[in-house]
Amino acid sequence: MRWRLRGSIGLLGRLFAILLATVTLEFAVGTLIYERASQLSLQDDEARRLAEHLVIARKLLSENPSRERPALSFQLTTDRYDVHWSPAAPPPPPLSPGLERMRRQIIDWEPSLEKASLWLRLTPGRHSEINGGLRLPDGSWLYFGMHHSGGKWAFTIGRMGLALIPMLALLIAGWLLIRRTLAPLRDLTHATHRIGRGVEVMVPEAGTSDVRNLITAFNAMQARIHRLIDERTETLAAVGHDLRTPLARMQLRVESVADPDLREAMSDDLDEMGEMLESLLAYFGGDREPESPVRSDVAVSIATVVDAFQDHGHDVTYDGPDHLEMTVRALSLRRAVRNLIENALHYGHRARVSLERKDGEILIRIDDDGPGIPRDRLEEVLRPFARLDEARQRNTRGLGLGLAIVQKAVAAEGGTFLLANRPEGGLRAEICLAAPRSTGRG
C-alpha cells in the first residue's frame, strides 16, 4: 500500500510536500527560538516586578505593628501576587537552577533583599506558581506567591497565528512557481499521449535547462519515429502498387487458360494473393493516408456489408436499429466488420450480426456456429500473423492479420475488442465503442 501511494503522488505533489516540510520546519524552529528568547525576557520582567512588590510589602509590614500585619498583607495581595505574614520560620527549600537564576535577578534589581534570606519554591499545578519568603527585620517572615496566568499562552497563540499568514502566502507563491516550472513537463506528457495515437506534436522548448534538453531530445525522437513511419508507408504503398499491376496482368492471362479446373484454381490463388496484399496494406497503413473520423451512420454501414454477403448467397443476418449516427472512421470500421463476418463464415456456416446501444456503449456483435477457440489462446489470435489451424480448419486463407486489423481499427476509435466462446457453441466477436450523446435517428 505504501508503494502504491508513493507511486500515485505526482512530481508537483512531491515538490510541494518538500516545500511544505521545509517551511513548517523553519516555522517550528523559528517559533521555538523566539519563544525561548521571549521566556528570558519575560522572566527578567517578572523578576523586576516581583522585586518591586516585595520591597514595598517588606517596608510596609516592617513599619506596622504585628497585630496589623495580617490585614495589611491582605491589602497587599493582588491578582498577581499573594502576600502573607507569619512569625514562624520556614524550612529552607532546595532551589532549582531556574529559580536560582530568578532569585539572582530579583536581588540584582533590589540588592536590599540579599540580607532578607530570600527563598523561592515552585509549586506544580495547572498554572505553575512560584512561592517564597523573606525575613523581616524583627525576625518574622513575609510569605508571597506569584501566579502564572494564561495570558502568555494566548499571546503565543496569537503571535503564531500572525506568523502563519506569511507562511501560507509563501506556500501559495511556492505552489504557483512550482506549477509554472513544471508546465513544460505537463505539455510533454500531453504530447506523449497524442503521439501514441499517431499525431505529431512539436513541444515548445521551455523551462529549465534540463527540461529544455529533455524536450529537444523528445522532439528529435518524435521526428525520427514519424520519418520512419512515413518511409515505411511510402514503401508499402509503392510495393502495393507494383504488385497489383502484375497480379492484374496474371488475372487477364488466366482467362485465356482453356482448362476450366486449372483456370479456377489459378484464379483462386490470385484472389488469395490479392487478399494477402490488401490485408498487409490495411494493417501497416500503406494503402492510403490515415483516415479521419467523420459523422457516419454505423447501422447503415453494417447493414450494407451484410447485404453484400447475402447477395453472394451467404447466411448472414443483421439485427439492430435502422440508423445509428456517430463519429467514426467509417472505412476502417466497415473493414473490421467485414473481416469478422468472413471469419464467422469461414469457420462456421452462418454469421449473426447485431448492433445495440446499452449502458452508454455501442455494441457490435458477430456470432458464428464454428468450433470456437481454446480459452487459453483467445488473446494469441489477436496478434499479427497468428494462425490457429489446429483449432480451426486447415484451409485458412490470408496471413493471419484479419483479427489484428480489427483490433487496430477498434483501438483507433478508443473502443475495445473481445473474443469469447459462446455457451451454446461457436465464437462471439464483440466491438465496444463509447456511445455518442445523440445517436440521431433510431
Side-chain angles (χ1 to χ4, degrees), residues 365-387:
R365 297 191 180 101
I366 293 91
D367 297 335
D368 64 37
D369 55 0
I373 298 175
R375 184 184 299 272
D376 59 343
R377 307 193 70 178
L378 285 174
E379 294 184 2
E380 182 180 347
V381 297
L382 299 178
R383 301 173 185 170
F385 307 104
R387 305 291 290 271

Side-chain angles (χ1 to χ4, degrees), residues 9 26 39 55 99 113 145 154 201 212 228 289 297 335 362 382 384 407 418-419:
I9 300 177
E26 187 275 336
Q39 288 178 3
V55 168
L99 291 181
L113 298 177
V201 181
R212 288 198 303 270
L228 291 174
E289 293 295 324
D297 195 324
R335 182 188 293 115
I362 301 298
L382 299 178
Q407 187 180 39
L418 301 175
L419 293 176

Side-chain angles (χ1 to χ4, degrees), residues 89-233:
L95 294 179
S96 63
L99 291 181
E100 175 62 26
R101 181 179 180 276
M102 188 173 184
R103 180 178 177 277
R104 294 307 311 173
Q105 288 177 317
I106 295 175
I107 293 176
D108 289 341
W109 280 106
E110 294 294 340
S112 62
L113 298 177
E114 174 71 26
K115 300 179 181 180
S117 302
L118 175 67
W119 59 270
L120 300 175
R121 180 178 61 191
L122 182 64
T123 302
R126 183 176 180 182
H127 298 295
S128 297
E129 296 183 356
I130 296 177
N131 296 331
L134 55 86
R135 188 175 54 197
L136 299 179
D138 61 355
S140 61
W141 286 84
L142 183 155
Y143 298 143
F144 61 89
M146 182 177 67
H147 303 283
H148 284 280
S149 65
K152 173 186 172 183
W153 294 106
F155 176 71
T156 301
I157 295 175
R159 188 168 56 207
M160 291 178 62
L162 292 177
L164 281 174
I165 296 177
M167 175 183 170
L168 293 176
L170 178 61
L171 285 177
I172 295 175
W175 171 271
L176 295 176
L177 291 175
I178 292 175
R179 183 177 178 84
R180 182 176 180 180
T181 302
L182 297 182
L185 288 180
R186 291 197 302 271
D187 296 339
L188 186 61
T189 302
H190 297 329
T192 303
H193 289 300
R194 296 184 64 187
I195 290 172
R197 296 192 293 268
V199 180
E200 184 174 3
V201 181
M202 299 304 293
V203 183
E205 297 182 8
T208 63
S209 59
D210 293 337
V211 175
R212 288 198 303 270
N213 293 336
L214 176 61
I215 294 176
T216 300
F218 176 82
N219 288 335
M221 178 193 68
Q222 176 186 192
R224 288 194 300 270
I225 291 175
H226 283 283
R227 184 169 61 251
L228 291 174
I229 294 175
D230 293 340
E231 291 176 355
R232 187 197 66 175
T233 302

Side-chain angles (χ1 to χ4, degrees), residues 232-248 273-274 276-282 284-288:
R232 187 197 66 175
T233 302
E234 294 174 359
T235 301
L236 286 174
V239 170
H241 179 270
D242 293 342
L243 288 179
R244 283 192 181 102
T245 301
L247 285 176
M273 291 176 63
M276 291 181 180
L277 179 61
E278 291 294 332
S279 63
L280 278 173
L281 295 177
F284 290 106
D287 53 347
R288 59 178 60 88

